[in-house]
Amino acid sequence: DQQVKQNSPSLSVQEGRISILNCDYTNSMFDYFLWYKKYPAEGPTFLISISSIKDKNEDGRFTVFLNKSAKHLSLHIVPSQPGDSAVYFCAAWGSNFGNEKLTFGTGTRLTIIP
Amino acid sequence: GAGVSQTPSNKVTEKGKYVELRCDPISGHTALYWYRQSLGQGPEFLIYFQGTGAADDSGLPNDRFFAVRPEGSVSTLKIQRTERGDSAVYLCASSLNGYSNQPQHFGDGTRLSIL
């Protein structure tokens, strides 16, 4: 039962354009959402987060949008740069069959084309 | 270093053997987490420590898996009678206090291969 879903396994975007990565969740107990970025052979690195009481959070080139009614969030990267090429994981914090924990999606591989 | 450190970075062993994976969290972080990541998947929660105690071990797949954090700092994940299905990258993360608004900081993981 995948409670956090990233339905696009991969995405290619031209350098300078906007990258939009999507994430859907099914558990209404999730109340905090995070995006992580992962390079090969490295651990995930925290990128940006959003609380369920907000609908937008911005940090430099990165903006996360949350639509609670649709149980959907997205990460916008603008402008996209070659160094943004990585796997991006959406993660949700909240009660998952009991104790609170972080539940990850399966990731989206973003490739920025120079 | 200032980050989460995991050793070894790679471990290859035969089916049935015992393995120990070590995690050295960021100094001062009371919360420590273990995850397992299989190919094409996101990290999957295994166990959470708050200080020395395992606050949530609901993600451990079976009783062959065990973890300790005796002094509230370094943690060791132990796997007995390893099976080929245990092959994965094992990730450790720490956070300041375990609250949701404190991001978890990950190590680079231990790639475990069971032959």
Side-chain angles (χ1 to χ4, degrees), chain B residues 63-109:
Chain B
D63 61 5
R64 296 187 296 105
F65 288 74
F66 189 71
V68 295
R69 195 186 185 197
E71 297 177 359
S73 177
V74 170
S75 176
T76 305
L77 178 66
K78 309 179 181 193
I79 311 174
Q80 297 178 321
R81 304 183 305 280
T82 52
E83 300 176 357
R84 293 199 177 90
D86 298 335
S87 296
V89 175
Y90 288 80
L91 294 163
C92 176
S94 70
S95 72
L96 187 61
N97 51 28
Y99 294 154
S100 61
N101 62 351
Q102 295 291 334
Q104 296 180 22
H105 301 271
F106 284 81
D108 289 340

Side-chain angles (χ1 to χ4, degrees), chain A residues 2 31-32 34 36 38 41-46 49 89 93 99-107, chain B residues 33 35 37 40-43 45 55-56 58-59 91 98-101 103-109:
Chain A
Q2 193 71 29
D31 58 8
Y32 201 81
L34 305 91
Y36 281 84
K38 186 181 184 304
E42 294 184 11
T45 303
F46 169 71
S49 62
F89 290 99
W93 179 275
N99 295 324
E100 293 205 332
K101 62 193 70 171
L102 206 53
T103 302
F104 283 84
T106 53
Chain B
Y33 307 81
Y35 293 86
Q37 185 175 16
Q41 302 295 315
F45 171 81
D56 180 1
S58 61
L91 294 163
Y99 294 154
S100 61
N101 62 351
Q104 296 180 22
H105 301 271
F106 284 81
D108 289 340

Side-chain angles (χ1 to χ4, degrees), chain A residues 44-56:
Chain A
T45 303
F46 169 71
L47 202 53
I48 193 170
S49 62
I50 188 167
S51 165
S52 61
I53 62 173
K54 296 187 174 182
D55 55 17
K56 177 183 174 181

